Amino acid sequence: KQEVTQIPAALSVPEGENLVLNCSFTDSAIYNLQWFRQDPGKGLTSLLLIQSSQREQTSGRLNASLDKSSGRSTLYIAASQPGDSATYLCAVPGSNDYKLSFGAGTTVTVRA
Amino acid sequence: EAGVTQFPSHSVIEKGQTVTLRCDPISGHDNLYWYRRVMGKEIKFLLHFVKESKQDESGMPNNRFLAERTGGTYSTLKVQPAELEDSGVYFCASSLLDRSGETQYFGPGTRLLVL
């Protein structure tokens, strides 16, 4: 059974600082890993999807890395802004199916 | 292109009542998933449709939950009778059938409160 852990649970930084969010998973036989953002009272927005064959994926100020063998992914957000305040979730599908296992999330607050 | 939509956005019902949640996936997406997040817990998988067929319903909590996907289009999730522990946020997601790896697109969720 896939277990996904996210550290830290919460993070507060001043505007402009870089953010580093960690995700670890127990079963390395994954198809891909997906990072989501959730704003309070809202749904999930997909940020990045990294295929198992990739080591990195970038979108604007966001960069996600994947080390499948060690069961880790890191989401970097450069030059954080107050609008980046949200909960960030990572999720991986099972080795034989597409159902996602989610971490509990990291709640980020960027102070102006 | 419209995203995944869910209705209602919020529902408050009393224990013992019935509630039906609806999800409209992105047009053309064969895969449809239901997930839920109960208070203080991670988002958990409930079930997966491929077109109108249930592919995996291993996450359904018990037989008070019934999901359908008529004609392979929209899906409904009925809870009957609702219990207090059913309170939470119910998310629907959809994706293209793509075995090389796929992005699941999530709807805004239905917030269910059972009193």
Side-chain angles (χ1 to χ4, degrees), chain A residues 1-5 24-30 68 70-71 92:
Chain A
K1 183 187 170 209
Q2 182 73 271
E3 301 282 344
V4 181
T5 304
S24 61
F25 46 94
T26 53
D27 184 353
S28 61
I30 60 171
K68 213 175 107 168
S70 66
V92 291

Side-chain angles (χ1 to χ4, degrees), chain A residues 34 41 51 98-100 104, chain B residues 35 37 58 102-104 111:
Chain A
Q34 201 165 352
Q51 301 292 354
Y98 296 102
K99 58 188 179 190
L100 294 176
Chain B
Y35 294 84
R37 186 172 200 166
S58 62
E102 56 194 288
T103 299
Q104 292 187 22
R111 282 144 187 82

Side-chain angles (χ1 to χ4, degrees), chain A residues 2 4 31-34 36 38 42-44 49 89-95 97-103, chain B residues 4-6 8-9 21-23 31-39 41-49 55-61 65 67 75-79 85-96 102-112:
Chain A
Q2 182 73 271
V4 181
Y31 284 121
N32 56 53
L33 182 144
Q34 201 165 352
F36 292 90
Q38 184 177 22
K42 304 286 186 182
L44 304 179
L49 181 146
L89 299 154
C90 72
V92 291
S95 54
D97 53 53
Y98 296 102
K99 58 188 179 190
L100 294 176
S101 295
F102 280 84
Chain B
V4 177
T5 57
Q6 293 186 245
S9 59
L21 314 180
R22 173 170 169 145
C23 168
N31 289 275
L32 187 149
Y33 310 81
W34 284 97
Y35 294 84
R36 76 170 178 178
R37 186 172 200 166
V38 296
M39 185 76 75
K41 300 285 183 73
E42 295 89 350
I43 298 171
K44 295 286 190 185
F45 167 85
L46 295 178
L47 87 158
H48 171 209
F49 284 98
Q55 192 77 5
D56 181 349
E57 52 185 330
S58 62
M60 294 287 262
F65 289 75
S75 174
T76 57
L77 179 64
K78 180 162 50 173
V79 185
E85 63 266 24
D86 300 332
S87 297
V89 183
Y90 290 76
F91 292 104
C92 174
S94 72
S95 67
L96 285 170
E102 56 194 288
T103 299
Q104 292 187 22
Y105 296 90
F106 279 73
T110 293
R111 282 144 187 82
L112 175 64

